[in-house]
Amino acid sequence: EPLDPAQGVVILMNKPLGYTCSAKDQGRLVYDLFPDRFRIRKPALSTIGRLDKETSGLLLFTDDGTFLHKVISPKSGVPKIYDVTLDRPMTGTEADVFASGQMMLESEEKPLKPAELDVIDEKNARLTLHEGRYHQVRRMFAATGNHVTVLTRSRVGALGLDGVDEGSWKVLSDAEKTLIFT
């Protein structure tokens, strides 16, 4: 019988807080937000990147390994945009540090790619990354002496969450998929 949706699918989810991006962990999993029949898909759906349990927002899934690699490959440079709320006011030096291409995170051997910080107010900002390292946004702000209290991924490329409620998902059209790379 045909798969529902068909093979080669890309799905956008508005991930709520408290869900883990794993198919095997304990507790609430992002896969629980899909219909039960999705669990028996072959090939299975995989997340395109991850969001930790304390991060909400745009999460992509696919069963197309080539597409997945194209999105997450550092060579593609697909921008990932995060809305950040901090525990304390920023010092004013963060944008230059993040944009320098010289920032090193603890236990890493390679500096981060330059990132753009748009300050909204003293405790809120929008950060654009061009790579995806483990807990990168949280670790970047920790390295500047601050703590992220709220973190939401709002965009991947030019693709946003427009009209997708928290905990909901939709299958992307071909036109929407191209927005990821623009």
Side-chain angles (χ1 to χ4, degrees):
E1 290 186 33
L3 291 174
D4 172 36
Q7 188 171 344
V9 68
V10 178
I11 296 174
L12 177 150
M13 176 184 284
N14 187 345
K15 179 194 167 295
L17 293 174
Y19 283 79
T20 303
C21 291
S22 170
K24 297 177 178 146
D25 286 348
Q26 300 295 316
R28 297 188 302 176
L29 309 177
V30 290
Y31 294 95
D32 297 339
L33 298 169
F34 290 124
D36 288 341
R37 67 186 181 276
F38 278 32
R39 291 185 187 276
I40 58 172
R41 289 178 58 91
K42 299 253 189 277
L45 288 174
S46 298
T47 60
I48 300 176
R50 291 181 168 220
L51 295 176
D52 65 39
K53 198 173 188 176
E54 294 80 34
T55 302
S56 62
L58 195 153
L59 182 62
L60 297 171
F61 297 80
T62 190
D63 59 4
D64 180 342
T66 302
F67 186 84
L68 185 151
H69 180 71
K70 184 177 177 184
V71 175
I72 66 171
S73 172
K75 292 178 184 175
S76 69
V78 171
K80 294 150 204 82
I81 301 165
Y82 296 85
D83 296 325
V84 182
T85 301
L86 299 165
D87 186 45
R88 291 182 300 285
M90 287 176 267
T91 64
T93 61
E94 293 87 353
D96 289 338
V97 171
F98 295 169
S100 71
Q102 304 293 316
M103 185 173 199
M104 294 287 292
L105 295 177
E106 186 176 326
S107 76
E108 302 252 344
E109 296 179 9
K110 188 175 174 187
L112 296 173
K113 287 186 174 183
E116 298 86 46
L117 182 70
D118 296 313
V119 176
I120 295 166
D121 62 37
E122 64 181 14
K123 290 185 177 182
N124 293 282
R126 178 165 278 175
L127 182 63
T128 303
L129 303 179
H130 301 279
E131 62 185 329
R133 298 195 195 178
Y134 178 76
H135 291 255
Q136 184 173 346
V137 174
R138 295 179 191 282
R139 293 169 67 204
M140 288 171 72
F141 280 102
T144 66
N146 214 326
H147 175 74
V148 174
T149 58
V150 179
L151 183 59
T152 302
R153 181 160 54 198
S154 56
R155 302 189 88 69
V156 174
L159 180 68
L161 287 167
D162 312 317
V164 179
D165 294 331
E166 187 175 275
S168 298
W169 56 273
K170 74 173 184 174
V171 175
L172 295 182
S173 68
D174 288 341
E176 290 170 317
K177 289 185 226 177
T178 64
L179 292 173
I180 294 168
F181 303 102
T182 57

